Amino acid sequence: MQDAIDALVIGGGPAGLTAALYLARFRRRVVLADEGEPRAAWIPASHNIPFFADGIPGPEILARQREHLARYDVPVIAARIAALAREGSGFVAKPEGREPLRVRNVLLATGARDVEPGLPHLPDAVRRGLVRYCPVCDGFESRGRRIAVIGHGAKGAGEALFIARTYSDDVTLLTLGRPMDMDEETRGRLARHRVRIVERPVMALDVQDGRIAAIRIDGEELRFETLYSALGLHYRTELAEALGAAREENGALRVNAGMMTSVPGLYAAGDIVAGLDQIVVGMGHAAIAATRIHNACAIPTQDEA
């Protein structure tokens, strides 16, 4: 693969942009493939990123990162990578509508998609910012308020407990009509933290000033100041699956300490990796992976065991 590109970064979110920046500064031949749908673009404002004490919207984070990367003339392919296959010790990537790329290493930063709640007459509630998905990012700003969590399993119960223990003593768990799937121990913990469980379906919504002001359930009107969705994620692992990469039980990619998957030369960073889905964590993943890729290119063999 002597004429191949050193690294292809797939995904133009905070993790992918960070990885491309590191590789460019390592003077590696790197190409970024950006389909244009980063999950970070949905963030109204993140308040736990250092240096941005007043918060920073997701689109601004992405714009600043793109501007920074542009200084290094990294080629950006605005297309989806339709297929990724092995070729010798490297890979062949096939962008939609473009010529294939021969690359030595691949870093997947394709992220995940939030499962949208089935609210009546309100598609894409998370994308539109009517429902939030990250109490770790903005729960502090909702402290002491009436908060609802949409969920019907372990993730929903866990998020409701996290909020009740950390930010508010007025938390309701909405299952949207599905029976709550949890053991008695979890139900007891919810009760101890005074988390109300509502298992009846939502009949109607009252949307005011860009937020869901009220939810109507069987004639009862419930009002909340903040609404979170905890229905889980769909990990964008299709390219890795085609190469036989191992996954965790929840569907995320399994990686080693150097962020390499079970496929040699295939790395992963950000939300696609199991762990805390945070921008600063994804950037850390990317820094580690990019450094390992640089080292692997500098010597004849991979430096990981």
Side-chain angles (χ1 to χ4, degrees), residues 145-184:
R145 297 180 180 176
R146 295 189 304 276
I147 298 175
V149 175
I150 298 173
H152 45 73
K155 183 173 177 59
E159 189 153 306
L161 283 167
F162 169 76
I163 294 171
R165 286 187 291 107
T166 313
Y167 297 120
S168 174
D169 58 4
D170 189 343
V171 180
T172 299
L173 185 56
L174 304 174
T175 73
L176 304 185
R178 292 187 57 168
M180 191 65 197
D181 181 18
M182 62 181 171
D183 54 36
E184 288 304 314

Side-chain angles (χ1 to χ4, degrees), residues 106-244:
V106 174
L107 193 155
L108 291 176
T110 45
R113 294 186 301 272
D114 288 89
V115 177
E116 286 278 352
L119 296 170
H121 311 297
L122 196 65
D124 297 333
V126 173
R127 280 179 176 266
R128 292 165 60 182
L130 297 172
V131 175
R132 300 181 184 182
Y133 62 84
C134 185
V136 176
C137 301
D138 55 31
F140 183 84
E141 281 64 41
S142 299
R143 64 194 183 280
R145 297 180 180 176
R146 295 189 304 276
I147 298 175
V149 175
I150 298 173
H152 45 73
K155 183 173 177 59
E159 189 153 306
L161 283 167
F162 169 76
I163 294 171
R165 286 187 291 107
T166 313
Y167 297 120
S168 174
D169 58 4
D170 189 343
V171 180
T172 299
L173 185 56
L174 304 174
T175 73
L176 304 185
R178 292 187 57 168
M180 191 65 197
D181 181 18
M182 62 181 171
D183 54 36
E184 288 304 314
E185 180 181 354
T186 303
R187 193 175 289 272
R189 291 174 64 199
L190 289 167
R192 287 194 296 274
H193 287 280
R194 300 185 298 281
V195 175
R196 180 186 180 188
I197 303 173
V198 178
E199 297 180 85
R200 292 166 289 161
V202 172
M203 307 304 294
L205 301 168
D206 181 12
V207 179
Q208 297 177 3
D209 300 325
R211 69 181 186 90
I212 298 174
I215 294 176
R216 296 182 179 88
I217 300 176
D218 291 342
E220 181 183 6
E221 184 176 270
L222 304 178
R223 290 191 169 270
F224 304 104
E225 294 168 279
T226 305
L227 188 62
Y228 286 102
S229 178
L231 295 173
L233 300 170
H234 288 308
Y235 294 97
R236 293 171 170 167
T237 58
E238 294 82 4
L239 293 173
E241 289 178 53
L243 293 169

